[in-house]
Amino acid sequence: MKKRLIIAIICLLVVGLWADTSGEYGLQIFKISSDADQAAMGGTGAFYANNSFRFMANPAAGNINNYKGLNFNQNYWIFDTSLNSLSYLNSKGKYSFGIGYRYLDYGALDGATDDGQFTGKFYPMDLIVTTGISYRINPSHYVGINVNGIYEKIDIESALGGSVDLGYRYVTMLSGVELAAAVKNMGKTNKLYNEDIDLPFTA
């Protein structure tokens, strides 16, 4: 049993190191938390947050307990950038269903040609619509899956796509000790300005 636990921890660490953390990938909205509770815990508080956004952080977090709620958040940053999110979660304890969206508005940006000529203002945006279900296999094991519809627009160009998130939670025999994992943003979009968009894979 000890050997299996050590192997599982090593595998999780290796996958975590493999995950993308650079800013070179598209749709950085995937990396922004919609929930203040989770953001305050560095994005690790999916199983402690008592709101409907928790299933977006880890698909297995949807059915921690009986819960039914609707939440809305609006976050403002510099240069008119804002994120607004809406989420509904209905958890019965044995299974849960969640649906929500995240909309990132970058505000007005100046457009320019390659030689620096001003072409006017444009308004880039990212939109993700998420549907998720989770299931309690038994009192120790929980699994979940999210399906994301993706839309990104920059100036007159836009891209559509989809991705999948997988989540798992294991309640150990040790009091208060749990293991959780998620693999997120596995998917693809069509090309934007004839360039492929690499989704920010996260584990």
Side-chain angles (χ1 to χ4, degrees):
M1 179 65 184
K2 245 185 194 177
K3 193 183 270 187
R4 287 183 186 173
L5 182 60
I6 291 169
I7 291 170
I9 290 170
I10 290 170
C11 288
L12 287 173
L13 289 173
V14 168
V15 171
L17 291 172
W18 176 42
D20 161 57
T21 56
S22 72
E24 299 172 359
Y25 288 61
L27 291 155
Q28 296 299 301
I29 185 176
F30 277 114
K31 295 182 177 181
I32 303 171
S33 176
S34 295
D35 175 28
D37 293 350
Q38 293 174 46
M41 291 185 263
T44 62
F47 294 97
Y48 302 99
N50 191 28
N51 60 53
S52 61
F53 290 114
R54 65 190 187 206
F55 82 95
M56 292 181 176
N58 186 320
N63 61 343
I64 298 170
N65 49 30
N66 290 337
Y67 176 87
K68 191 180 204 180
L70 179 72
N71 292 97
F72 175 77
N73 274 349
Q74 176 98 41
N75 301 325
Y76 291 98
W77 291 291
I78 59 173
F79 306 124
D80 299 324
T81 303
S82 67
L83 171 73
N84 60 70
S85 311
L86 179 71
S87 179
Y88 169 78
L89 178 64
N90 187 358
S91 171
K92 302 291 189 181
K94 180 72 173 173
Y95 61 89
S96 73
F97 169 78
I99 188 167
Y101 79 86
R102 287 170 282 172
Y103 172 71
L104 181 61
D105 180 358
Y106 292 88
L109 299 179
D110 292 338
T113 60
D114 290 340
D115 59 358
Q117 296 294 318
F118 177 72
T119 59
K121 301 278 188 184
F122 67 99
Y123 301 85
M125 53 86 75
D126 294 341
L127 174 67
I128 303 170
V129 178
T130 303
T131 301
I133 57 171
S134 61
Y135 182 72
R136 186 184 73 207
I137 299 170
N138 59 44
S140 297
H141 299 278
Y142 298 74
V143 293
I145 182 170
N146 289 348
V147 177
N148 304 297
I150 304 164
Y151 177 74
E152 183 171 58
K153 182 174 184 289
I154 300 175
D155 200 5
I156 59 171
E157 296 284 330
S158 62
L160 281 169
S163 70
V164 173
D165 309 328
L166 302 175
Y168 173 72
R169 176 191 184 208
Y170 171 53
V171 181
T172 70
M173 294 176 289
L174 302 174
S175 178
V177 178
E178 299 179 7
L179 297 175
V183 181
K184 300 172 66 178
N185 311 331
M186 298 179 293
K188 192 166 179 58
T189 70
N190 58 352
K191 293 188 176 187
L192 189 67
Y193 292 104
N194 296 317
E195 295 284 339
D196 287 320
I197 300 173
D198 292 325
L199 300 185
F201 174 79
T202 306

